[in-house]
Amino acid sequence: MESQTLYRTGLTGEAIASELLALPATKATRSRATPTSETRVVQRVLIGAALAYFALLVLTPLIVVFYQALRKGLEFYMIALSDSDTLSAIRLTLIVAAVAVPLNLVFGVAAAWSISKFDFRGKSVLVSLIDLPFAVSPVIAGLIYVLIFGLQGWLGPWLAAHDIKVIFALPGLLLATIFVTVPFVARGLIPLMEAQGKAEEEAALVLGASGWQTFWRVTLPNIKWGIIYGVILCNARAMGEFGAVSVVSGHIRGATNTMPLQVEILYNEYNYVAAFAVASLLALLALVTLAVKTAVEWRSAQGAPQ
Amino acid sequence: MSIEIVHVTHRYANFTALHDVTLQVRTGELVALLGPSGSGKTTLLRVIAGLEHADRGRVLFDGVDATDIAVGERRVGFVFQHYALFRHMSVRENIAFGLRVKSRKVRAPEAEIRRRVDDLLELVQLQQLDERYPHQLSGGQRQRVALARALAIEPRVLLLDEPFGALDAQVRKELRLWLRSLHDRVHMTSVFVTHDQDEAFDVADRVVVMNEGRIEQVGTPGELTSRPSSPFVQRFIVDSRMRVPG
Amino acid sequence: MKYLNIALVSLVALFAANAHADVTLLNVSYDPTRELYQEVNAAFARHWQATAREKVSIRASHGGSGRQARSVIDGLEADVVTLALAYDIDEIADRARLLPTDWQKRLPNNSSPYTSTIVFLVRKGNPKGVRDWDDLIKPGVSVITPNPKTSGGARWNYLAAWGYALRKYGNDEGRARNFVTALFHNVPVLDSGARGATTTFVERGQGDVLLAWENEAFLALKEFGSGKFEIVVPSVSILAEPPVAIVDRVVDKRGTRKVAQAYLDYLYSDEGQDIAGRNFYRPRSQKAAAKYAKQFPKLNLFTIEEVFGGWTKAQKTHFADGGVFDHIYQPGK
């Protein structure tokens, strides 16, 4: 009698199942595994293990960084950060990020757009090339630039003759940073744009929009969150890169040291608290990045159309 | 506007979608391209729209060669199978899109655009929903928006790619009748693609039966039923129509 | 309020250009000399302002001596190089032709304004009882030294050990080699520079004994208080002569030859020698040597020329690719 009533009301099979499973509701029934989820115990163990792993490998070092940085008090912390070499390192990091991120943004959008909307020869090569920086060790990346632009490298004599400094100067730092951060925007956008397909773009074209109008009015708004996400990751990596930059830097104090390099220098001068102070800035950046990323994900999951 | 397709052949990589297809569509006609998947009907529609450029052959609008005209300049209206509405724009903005992207010189003033959009909303009976977004609409409503959007630019021909394919049976039937009545009012040359022969027979003046990139037969529903010209048409149309009860 | 002030000043300084100097020099140096040159640079700037009425700003870069030489060869525009050993500057002369090959004769004392040597740094109380080189090859003794491939100090360490073994075993190269091999078996990790090795020993608490530049050892005592570490002076050690040189191609291109020359001359002056002594480098001048004599322990020292026939030979035999060190040290064995 009961099941007939349920059937006539037009409930879906899922609703029926959950109705049946809910009667009678006892403690034992509630913690039984359903077809698509584990028992309470298993859930708790898995979540606990994940949290413990995270706490150990990520949270603890983060706490240590801030603890060590503030060990001698807030005043020392601020004075350490206002040392001229350190300020120069902060400035350099900001400049490098300010150049590398927009460049990679433009490239990433262009590459993702071509890959997802068109078919062309060499498409898979382009995709592999974009992933290349992930596969190559950053130190090797730095070395490549030394081999090309260094005094003994391919372009070395020409550059020297024209007094153009690439390696051991800002351009070298930019090249190394750009190389290691190239994939972030593109890789975030490609699956997104492929999932979105070309139909909206085709619709726009048929309605008379030009290529540029289509891109600006249709494509861009659809990938807005993907772009934001990619930029955030790209920026975090650009500011925190060590290996590649270290090779091409020359370590000239007050001139070619970024924040990560400055941390190493301070540490090597027994200036541990100052080293941790600069490291804490980078850690703060990481936290801010995480917060913004979470906010972005939350907003886009809401399906906010604007 | 009349459409003439002359000896059109189109290939994708190793697969030939259209084999030397020739077809005439008279002004004001409502024609259905009917066939199983892979028959080339959607490809043919896209060639007419300009979304594909035929490898060989010509497309003529009112006797003028339009084969090399860019898709945006053909003034065709296209309704996609999955609507392809701009997801971040409201219904009103979607419909107004084609009018807004015109170049400065040709663009109508904003008030005029608003007026046209209002007219179209009335035509498709969606006046209350003008500020809604696509994800807030049902399938049938979205399709009507897509139609209004296509009509906004006053196209010379209306092309519909399986317009009711993604909807459930009841809504399909309703929209089918509505499309027919719309056509009777507006008298725009229209071509639509479907694999559902009930639909084709209910709506179209003439039906083009396609199979494997070729046209099997062209004719009114009556002609196709009584005088099928090939075994394929026989099987596809006549026999299956017999099998369906009532 | 105080914090706000500091923050604001920093923010302004962050974006303000550096106060304009009339001339800048780049001193590419080796790892442990950071503190030394910080003092020298400030003093020289004052001196130059007073004598030449010009504002000079000296930039410094520090790292393992071999690695720094490599950077200069690759185009790091050093006006002067102040490295750990003559061979590294020879490389710059040979491979990049940035200065003449007879550079070492141009300044007094083989272009070394100060010298140093290799000593042991152990933990307070010397729990493993390390007294001399022999104790370094005992099982259970963990030795910290940087990597001879990149660090100048590491090469001095290695040659000091080899020299000791030669003396002990009557110039038997085979037994000397066994000795050094045994020593490197006791080395758990190789840093790329002398300072890195010091940090490993002192801050990270690894190892029982650090083979260090004498000045590094003294500096560690100073930084960390002599309550934590002790210096142990071995029976014999090597005389390390870290040289300095002008990089001709660079100073001529940048027009800084006069200042650069004055800078290096300053290292030999009374003030320069005094600063060196204060930073635990053994000064060359009579006056300063006398002043700081008590600070430095008495040591039996041999030179690289006496025992190894000079740097070029030593480098080729021991540290070049495929040399003795490559055969001795295979990590993981």
Side-chain angles (χ1 to χ4, degrees), chain A residues 33-275:
Chain A
T34 68
T36 49
S37 77
E38 307 293 338
T39 62
R40 279 267 169 85
V41 176
V42 176
Q43 281 179 1
R44 285 200 178 125
V45 168
L46 284 176
I47 292 174
L51 282 177
Y53 185 80
F54 170 76
L56 190 64
L57 289 179
V58 178
L59 207 57
T60 311
L62 213 57
I63 293 174
V64 168
V65 167
F66 283 104
Y67 172 74
Q68 291 283 14
L70 294 166
R71 197 155 51 104
K72 288 200 186 161
L74 191 58
E75 189 182 338
F76 188 91
Y77 180 86
M78 303 212 69
I79 291 177
L81 289 179
S82 55
D83 163 69
S84 77
D85 280 351
T86 298
L87 280 182
S88 147
I90 296 174
R91 178 173 49 227
L92 193 61
T93 298
L94 290 175
I95 292 175
V96 166
V99 174
V101 173
L103 279 179
N104 280 330
L105 173 61
V106 170
F107 168 79
V109 171
W113 192 68
S114 343
I115 288 170
S116 58
K117 310 283 178 200
F118 301 102
D119 283 308
F120 52 92
R121 239 180 339 156
K123 179 157 133 171
S124 52
V125 174
L126 180 60
V127 175
S128 306
L129 277 180
I130 289 175
D131 275 344
L132 189 68
F134 278 168
V136 171
S137 156
V139 171
I140 302 293
L143 214 54
I144 291 172
Y145 288 115
V146 174
L147 287 174
I148 298 175
F149 299 104
L151 194 55
Q152 315 300 323
W154 288 355
L155 300 177
W158 186 88
L159 289 169
H162 292 82
D163 201 21
I164 302 174
K165 276 191 267 211
V166 175
I167 301 293
F168 309 128
L170 183 60
L173 299 174
L174 286 173
L175 282 174
T177 305
I178 288 172
F179 180 89
V180 300
T181 52
V182 153
F184 286 99
V185 176
R187 276 175 117 253
L189 287 179
I190 291 175
L192 178 64
M193 291 172 89
E194 280 183 342
Q196 288 176 349
K198 333 188 237 180
E200 282 188 44
E201 279 79 11
E202 282 184 342
L205 288 174
V206 176
L207 287 167
S210 69
W212 177 252
Q213 282 173 318
T214 304
F215 178 75
W216 189 251
R217 289 170 180 257
V218 177
T219 315
L220 264 191
N222 278 345
I223 57 175
K224 181 168 59 178
W225 299 115
I227 288 183
I228 292 175
Y229 188 75
V231 164
I232 290 169
L233 288 182
C234 185
N235 182 57
R237 182 64 193 276
M239 290 195 173
E241 175 57 30
F242 180 81
V245 174
S246 179
V247 174
V248 301
S249 155
H251 299 102
I252 304 175
R253 283 130 188 274
T256 60
N257 286 308
T258 56
M259 279 164 75
L261 266 49
Q262 183 67 6
V263 171
E264 189 196 30
I265 285 178
L266 288 168
Y267 187 76
N268 275 335
E269 284 170 0
Y270 308 127
N271 238 336
Y272 304 127
V273 176

Side-chain angles (χ1 to χ4, degrees), chain C residues 232-244:
Chain C
V232 170
V233 176
S235 59
V236 69
S237 191
I238 194 167
L239 177 68
E241 297 178 298
V244 304

